[in-house]
Amino acid sequence: MNTAATKEELERILDQALQEVTERTAGVRLRQGGQPLGEDLCTVHITFDKGFGTSLTLWADTSLLARMARNSFHEDAVTPEDVEEFSKEYLNVLCGRIAGAMFRATGVPAHFGTPVFYHGRHEPEGQEAQFILTYSDERREGAQLIHHVPAAHEAASGGTE
């Protein structure tokens, strides 16, 4: 079986993976909902460089990522560096789960690059959002997982301009 997943199937895979990985690694239950993100955000971005040619961006309230890091590290306090390291590893684990689920659904093996962390909201160049999944927790802290595809003008020109 070597077929493409539908947008709905991909959304389901990403949603299930995010909820399971977040609860298992950080003890936080995120549920889909329309809670707007706060002003103090972090971005973690990763590219699937083999298999799909897409990327994922996680925008999350810094307070949520700090709490997830504290829970994961079993610490009362974490540094900004701890939050960055946790966030990159979290996205790595999440993408591993997604790549496995996508392989089972499509037969296409995927490989992803190294996650990149940014303070604030970062938009990847040459990419456009295919869909955005929005989450919040019981403390009204939020996150968004964005699935990016190559921008239409980039794809049409072969990525060169």
Side-chain angles (χ1 to χ4, degrees):
M1 178 169 111
N2 192 358
T3 60
T6 66
K7 179 177 169 266
E8 292 76 21
E9 176 75 1
L10 183 57
E11 285 181 16
R12 185 192 63 72
I13 288 170
L14 267 59
D15 176 53
Q16 183 176 6
L18 183 133
Q19 289 190 43
E20 289 175 2
V21 167
T22 304
E23 189 163 354
R24 186 169 295 140
T25 63
V28 173
R29 287 187 178 194
L30 292 177
R31 297 293 177 243
Q32 280 202 46
Q35 178 71 24
L37 297 177
E39 294 296 315
D40 185 11
L41 297 177
C42 293
T43 300
V44 193
H45 179 78
I46 198 164
T47 300
F48 284 88
D49 49 17
K50 290 184 184 170
F52 296 106
T54 62
S55 67
L56 290 174
T57 300
L58 177 72
W59 289 331
D61 289 325
T62 302
S63 58
L64 174 63
L65 291 174
R67 182 163 49 97
M68 290 169 61
R70 286 191 307 271
N71 290 350
S72 180
F73 297 157
H74 305 289
E75 297 287 339
D76 292 334
V78 291
T79 66
E81 293 79 16
D82 292 334
V83 172
E84 178 176 343
E85 287 306 310
F86 167 79
S87 299
K88 291 190 296 189
E89 185 58 30
Y90 167 77
L91 195 58
N92 249 337
V93 172
L94 179 61
C95 286
R97 174 71 59 91
I98 291 166
M102 289 301 296
F103 180 76
R104 288 188 296 280
T106 67
V108 176
H111 178 268
F112 47 92
T114 303
V116 182
F117 181 88
Y118 304 91
H119 292 281
R121 187 182 301 261
H122 174 79
E123 304 256 359
E125 292 184 28
Q127 303 267 306
E128 61 187 32
Q130 181 185 34
F131 60 83
I132 300 172
L133 302 175
T134 301
Y135 297 88
S136 62
D137 68 357
E138 71 282 357
R139 295 184 185 186
R140 301 178 61 83
E141 295 172 321
Q144 290 183 317
L145 185 64
I146 302 100
H147 182 255
H148 288 99
V149 295
H153 69 279
E154 293 282 325
S157 67
T160 58
E161 297 216 321

